[in-house]
């Protein structure tokens, strides 16, 4: 299935396709009317879509943005199926593993798939539709005597270069001219009078790939103690991020001089993110009698594959986290999965280090 969770919409002419090789199911969430069943769309022959792609699809007279959440499939006897309008050329919002996690959350916690996908995606990664009013002929009080004079002067003056509806509604002078209904009515009069026109544009994603400026030594000799010290540091590391050079105490001018003299070259590379802010904590101690009894009780319930609730009670420092680690290890060994809720966000780094020490790269941290 293909399902979509659109954040915004725009007017568009409806389209119908009578024959296509592949079709997808689409899950649409409208800002005013929720659609709780999948809708079927056709994938145009020239279009390639993957899970996590952002696409635009028609719904009634409008177009909606959404996320692809499955692979295309064939469907016999499908007619009058509307096609996907466009695949947006932005980075994938999530991958197969993120989608699987969202499905699990939606099923486990009785929420919609759209609500479950929310914490997995960046709002700025989704394209937006922006409505803007552009002034064609500066209005005047004489031409529009029935409109609030404050509003007419504001549009002819401060907003002569154009404005969005949100900007107008927040402006103090416009708020003195009338309430939202009055302002919307005045804009309609100005549009009919030819003073302003409404333009609708698609704004692309504001999320891009993070890149780092990297420094590498060329071996060329250079004079100056500070520049020599910087070159020696870069040579020792093999390669050094520019920001790490700045944190080491070398000013921008020193870095620029080393590059200008040919002792260093600067390149741009895709940034890599460390998984933790400190070393992994290994789990190298043996369970106490109390911990062993708790672990055995939890593992027994995991082995039964039936729902059960267990309360682990212990004072701070008694080793409750160790019990969780051992219980999760047994669960994973039996083919299961686990989610750990951290009671305080400040505890996340140290908790993540302990779990990464036990399970390595299988650990993912989500903030919601």
């Amino acid at each position: 299935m293909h399902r979509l969770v659109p954040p915004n919409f725009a007017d568009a002419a409806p389209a119908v396709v009578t024959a296509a090789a592949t079709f997808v199911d689409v899950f649409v969430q409208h800002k005013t009317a929720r659609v709780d069943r999948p809708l079927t769309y056709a994938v145009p022959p020239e279009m390639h879509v993957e899970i996590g792609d952002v696409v635009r699809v028609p719904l009634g007279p409008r177009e909606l943005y959404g996320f692809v959440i499955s692979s295309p499939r064939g469907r016999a006897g499908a007619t009058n199926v509307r096609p996907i309008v466009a695949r947006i050329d932005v980075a994938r919002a999530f991958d197969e593993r993120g989608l699987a996690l969202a499905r699990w959350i939606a099923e486990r916690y009785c929420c919609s798939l759209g609500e479950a996908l929310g914490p997995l995606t960046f709002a700025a990664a989704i394209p937006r539709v922006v409505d803007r009013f552009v002034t064609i002929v500066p209005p005047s009080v004489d031409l529009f005597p029935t409109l609030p004079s404050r509003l007419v002067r504001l549009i002819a003056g401060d907003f002569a270069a154009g404005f969005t509806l949100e900007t107008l509604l927040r402006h103090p002078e416009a708020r003195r001219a009338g309430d939202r209904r009055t302002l919307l009515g005045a804009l309609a009069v100005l549009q009919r009078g030819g003073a302003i026109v409404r333009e609708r544009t698609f704004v692309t994603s504001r999320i891009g790939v993070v890149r780092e400026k990297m420094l590498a030594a060329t071996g060329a000799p250079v004079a100056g103690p500070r520049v020599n010290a910087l070159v020696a540091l870069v040579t020792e590391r093999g390669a050094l991020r520019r920001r790490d050079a700045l944190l080491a105490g070398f000013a921008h001018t020193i870095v620029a001089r080393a590059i200008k003299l040919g002792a260093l070259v600067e390149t741009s590379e895709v940034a890599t993110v460390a998984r933790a802010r400190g070393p992994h904590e290994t789990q190298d101690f043996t369970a106490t009698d109390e911990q062993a009894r708790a672990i055995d009780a939890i593992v027994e319930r995991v082995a039964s594959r039936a729902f059960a609730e267990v309360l682990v009670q212990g004072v701070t420092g008694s080793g409750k986290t160790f019990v969780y680690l051992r219980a999760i290890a047994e669960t994973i060994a039996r083919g299961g999965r686990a989610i750990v809720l951290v009671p305080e966000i400040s505890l996340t780094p140290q908790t993540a280090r302990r779990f990464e020490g036990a399970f390595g790269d299988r650990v993912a941290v989500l903030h919601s």
Side-chain angles (χ1 to χ4, degrees):
M1 292 191 303
H2 258 34
R3 293 181 179 177
L4 309 176
V5 183
N8 215 324
F9 62 92
D11 294 334
V16 173
V17 61
T18 57
T22 56
F23 299 85
V24 293
D25 289 336
V26 177
F27 183 77
V28 176
Q29 284 185 335
H30 195 275
K31 63 193 301 184
T32 58
R34 196 183 190 97
V35 180
D36 289 325
R37 62 183 179 86
L39 304 177
T40 300
Y41 287 89
V43 180
E46 70 280 1
M47 185 181 299
H48 174 72
V49 293
E50 298 180 359
I51 289 176
D53 283 344
V54 180
V55 295
R56 205 164 71 237
V57 296
L59 181 65
R62 300 181 174 93
E63 291 181 4
L64 304 174
Y65 281 123
F67 303 132
V68 174
I69 64 168
S70 68
S71 302
R73 74 193 189 289
R75 177 170 173 172
T79 59
N80 297 327
V81 179
R82 305 175 76 180
I84 294 176
V85 176
R87 174 188 174 275
I88 311 303
D89 188 19
V90 296
R92 295 168 65 189
F94 48 83
D95 58 12
E96 290 80 358
R97 296 177 65 182
L99 176 61
L101 176 60
R103 289 186 186 277
W104 185 88
I105 293 174
E107 180 180 358
R108 178 67 177 82
Y109 295 100
C110 300
C111 64
S112 70
L113 183 60
E115 292 169 334
L117 282 171
L120 304 178
T121 60
F122 291 105
I126 303 173
R128 298 176 296 120
V129 176
V130 176
D131 287 321
R132 186 175 179 83
F133 294 91
V134 179
T135 303
I136 303 300
V137 179
S140 65
V141 177
D142 295 335
L143 291 176
F144 299 94
T146 61
L147 300 184
S149 58
R150 290 176 179 270
L151 178 64
V152 174
R153 288 194 296 267
L154 176 64
I155 294 176
D158 294 352
F159 290 161
F163 58 94
T164 63
L165 178 61
E166 292 76 13
T167 302
L168 177 69
L169 295 178
R170 290 197 301 264
H171 198 282
E173 193 69 8
R175 294 169 64 179
R176 296 188 187 99
D179 57 14
R180 180 187 180 92
R181 183 176 181 179
T182 301
L183 296 178
L184 292 177
L187 292 178
V189 172
L190 292 173
Q191 286 182 271
R192 291 195 297 269
I196 62 175
V197 295
R198 185 177 183 177
E199 294 182 349
R200 176 164 286 176
T201 57
F202 291 97
V203 179
T204 188
S205 169
R206 291 170 289 168
I207 297 295
V209 177
V210 177
R211 304 189 69 86
E212 290 275 12
K213 293 182 178 180
M214 303 296 297
L215 301 175
T218 63
V222 65
R226 293 294 293 167
V227 175
N228 272 318
L230 172 59
V231 173
L233 177 62
V234 175
T235 303
E236 177 185 351
R237 301 280 184 89
L240 187 67
R241 295 180 298 185
R242 185 183 182 115
R243 60 189 177 101
D244 287 340
L246 299 176
L247 289 174
F250 298 96
H252 282 287
T253 54
I254 299 298
V255 176
R257 183 183 175 191
I259 296 173
K260 183 178 181 180
L261 295 176
L264 297 178
V265 292
E266 187 175 61
T267 58
S268 178
E269 299 180 4
V270 176
T272 57
V273 180
R275 292 186 57 86
R277 293 185 176 273
H280 294 172
E281 295 183 10
T282 58
Q283 317 303 319
D284 55 357
F285 54 90
T286 304
T288 64
D289 293 339
E290 291 82 1
Q291 288 173 331
R293 286 196 294 270
I295 294 170
D296 292 341
I298 296 174
V299 171
E300 180 181 351
R301 288 162 174 78
V302 171
S304 68
R305 304 187 68 85
F307 176 77
E309 295 179 348
V310 178
L311 173 63
V312 179
Q313 183 176 1
V315 298
T316 301
S318 60
K320 297 185 295 296
T321 302
F322 177 69
V323 172
Y324 306 151
L325 289 167
R326 291 284 296 274
I328 291 173
E330 291 289 342
T331 302
I332 293 175
R334 297 171 185 271
R337 294 172 293 181
I339 287 182
V340 178
L341 302 181
V342 181
E344 168 58 44
I345 193 171
S346 62
L347 300 176
T348 302
Q350 69 185 60
T351 305
R353 286 197 296 270
R354 294 199 64 181
F355 279 84
E356 287 172 347
F359 305 110
D361 290 342
R362 299 190 64 172
V363 177
V365 179
L366 292 178
H367 294 274
S368 61

